[in-house]
Amino acid sequence: MFLEKEFAYLLNRCYNLHKAFPLVFCGRSHFHYNTWGYAFFFVFFQICSFIGKKCGKQRYYCKHCLKTFVTTTHTIMSESHQSAAIWNEVITDTVQGHSIDFTKERLNLSHACVFDMRHKILLALEDISAKEPVILQNVSELDETYVLDCQKGRKCADNDDRPARKHGAKAQKRGLSSEYVCICTGVQRGAGVIASVVNRARPGIKEVQLVFDGHIGDGALLLCDGLNAYPLLTKIADCTVKNVNQVPEAEKGFFHLNTVNSLHSFIKRRYIFYRGVATKFLNRYNALFAISFRQNRNTIPALCSKLLHPSRSNYCHTIKDVNSWNLLSL
């Protein structure tokens, strides 16, 4: 009788552990965990003696793929020495728009550590936006904004198109030029946000379609300014495009671009506070701006749960990915 109860307890414990910490190396439904030093074999789970700890975390061993792993393997916390509580604080500071130096001082970490953690978070936000794309429906506003090209973090080479600028300096040429990077944006009133960089200066038809293809719902009313590329979005979606500049004065209380202009102001405030964002990283920050613009008291807890809980879809990126993965090239 005792052995039957013991067997049932262990089987239930293994099942719960497997649900909480799925095995990511081989994808099989077996699991290894230390339980009283005994070795048991079940149809779906195997239990064996533990093989030590790594950075204070229980270490496991898979007999099928012959690799060791911990509970944070293939998650955003992979290869990190920091606890989930520290990651929670870094996510909070990132969404709230604090600087890396502020987070570094508050959590007593190095600048390089916080930089890598922040960019792992930004890469995860890009992954989320790709897996869960925003669909603009009902009444949505489309417009573009421009920020100065920035080579922050590296020295300008002799063959660069322009000399280096100091923080706060203006463009050498007047008006729109190749020194400006175009951010195409779309906002559904009271709902999702899209922001993406595809080119320099004014966007063309192909660039606008590339940004919004797959992001426009059927029957959507798209409000825009006089850019000629926007009316052609009707070719890739069953939508209606309306130019607010051609609306009678009496109807401008509804047909306006105030929401998307508010997004542009938000992006530029963050951009100035950061003292520029390296252009190669700009689409990562656009994913952050899209979430931060609509943030409320539930945004950060929900995001921390999605990124840090090991049983959720993992968003694993290494430090090498920080400087090489999906960089913007214009």
Side-chain angles (χ1 to χ4, degrees):
M1 188 67 180
F2 172 76
L3 290 178
E4 290 180 1
K5 290 184 177 180
E6 182 182 275
F7 183 87
Y9 167 76
L10 288 174
L11 183 60
N12 182 63
R13 182 177 180 184
C14 285
Y15 178 72
N16 291 332
L17 284 168
H18 177 66
K19 286 176 62 179
F21 308 113
L23 185 59
V24 290
F25 271 125
C26 56
R28 301 174 186 238
S29 56
H30 62 271
F31 198 83
H32 301 264
Y33 189 72
N34 174 48
T35 305
W36 304 339
Y38 295 100
F40 295 88
F41 177 78
F42 303 108
V43 177
F44 298 108
F45 309 103
Q46 287 182 356
I47 306 176
C48 65
S49 298
F50 68 90
I51 57 173
K53 292 190 176 182
K54 180 180 180 181
C55 299
K57 305 170 188 175
Q58 176 66 60
R59 205 171 175 203
Y60 305 92
Y61 173 71
C62 173
K63 288 184 178 178
H64 290 266
C65 58
L66 304 180
K67 293 183 178 180
T68 61
F69 61 99
V70 294
T71 54
T72 57
T73 298
H74 284 197
T75 69
I76 194 173
M77 296 185 289
S78 180
E79 299 180 4
S80 174
H81 291 230
Q82 308 306 324
S83 65
I86 296 295
W87 275 93
N88 199 323
E89 293 298 323
V90 176
I91 292 172
T92 301
D93 285 356
T94 300
V95 174
Q96 292 180 347
H98 295 301
S99 67
I100 291 177
D101 286 337
F102 173 84
T103 305
K104 176 193 74 170
E105 295 293 336
R106 189 169 72 88
L107 301 178
N108 194 26
L109 301 173
S110 68
H111 186 280
C113 177
V114 177
F115 178 87
D116 290 337
M117 293 174 72
R118 170 164 293 189
H119 278 267
K120 283 185 176 183
I121 294 167
L122 298 180
L123 287 170
L125 295 181
E126 273 195 304
D127 292 342
I128 291 174
S129 63
K131 293 180 180 179
E132 305 170 11
V134 173
I135 306 298
L136 300 178
Q137 298 175 330
N138 300 327
V139 181
S140 301
E141 303 174 15
L142 310 181
D143 201 3
E144 66 281 347
T145 188
Y146 302 89
V147 295
L148 278 174
D149 172 49
C150 180
Q151 302 299 327
K152 187 178 181 180
R154 77 172 184 88
K155 293 184 178 180
C156 287
D158 296 335
N159 58 350
D160 282 349
D161 297 334
R162 60 170 181 82
R165 284 194 301 263
K166 294 185 177 181
H167 292 310
K170 298 180 180 180
Q172 290 183 326
K173 302 175 183 178
R174 297 179 60 186
L176 288 180
S177 66
S178 59
E179 293 185 63
Y180 283 93
V181 177
C182 175
I183 305 177
C184 291
T185 57
V187 182
Q188 179 181 339
R189 291 182 181 176
V193 176
I194 295 172
S196 181
V197 175
V198 288
N199 71 327
R200 297 176 183 271
R202 196 176 299 276
I205 297 172
K206 292 183 179 179
E207 286 84 5
V208 170
Q209 290 182 343
L210 180 64
V211 172
F212 295 106
D213 188 16
H215 294 281
I216 300 176
D218 293 338
L221 172 61
L222 306 180
L223 306 181
C224 64
D225 56 10
L227 190 68
N228 294 330
Y230 289 127
L232 297 177
L233 291 176
T234 55
K235 294 183 178 181
I236 63 173
D238 182 15
C239 62
T240 303
V241 179
K242 195 171 187 66
N243 186 348
V244 297
N245 295 330
Q246 299 175 354
V247 173
E249 192 68 28
E251 299 180 8
K252 287 191 175 181
F254 177 80
F255 297 102
H256 59 76
L257 299 178
N258 293 348
T259 309
V260 73
N261 288 336
S262 175
L263 171 63
H264 295 169
S265 298
F266 174 81
I267 291 174
K268 289 182 177 179
R269 285 197 304 270
R270 287 283 181 96
Y271 198 83
I272 292 172
F273 177 76
Y274 292 145
R275 296 185 180 180
V277 173
T279 300
K280 63 180 180 180
F281 296 142
L282 192 51
N283 270 338
R284 297 181 188 177
Y285 278 90
N286 284 334
L288 172 64
F289 297 151
I291 291 178
S292 302
F293 179 66
R294 292 291 194 193
Q295 68 171 303
N296 53 44
R297 63 182 182 180
N298 297 322
T299 300
I300 294 175
L303 185 60
C304 291
S305 176
K306 179 176 289 188
L307 295 182
L308 301 181
H309 199 287
S311 66
R312 305 293 176 85
S313 299
N314 60 71
Y315 304 96
C316 176
H317 288 281
T318 64
I319 294 178
K320 184 179 179 180
D321 292 340
V322 168
N323 294 308
S324 61
W325 184 270
N326 200 21
L327 298 178
L328 178 63
S329 178
L330 298 175

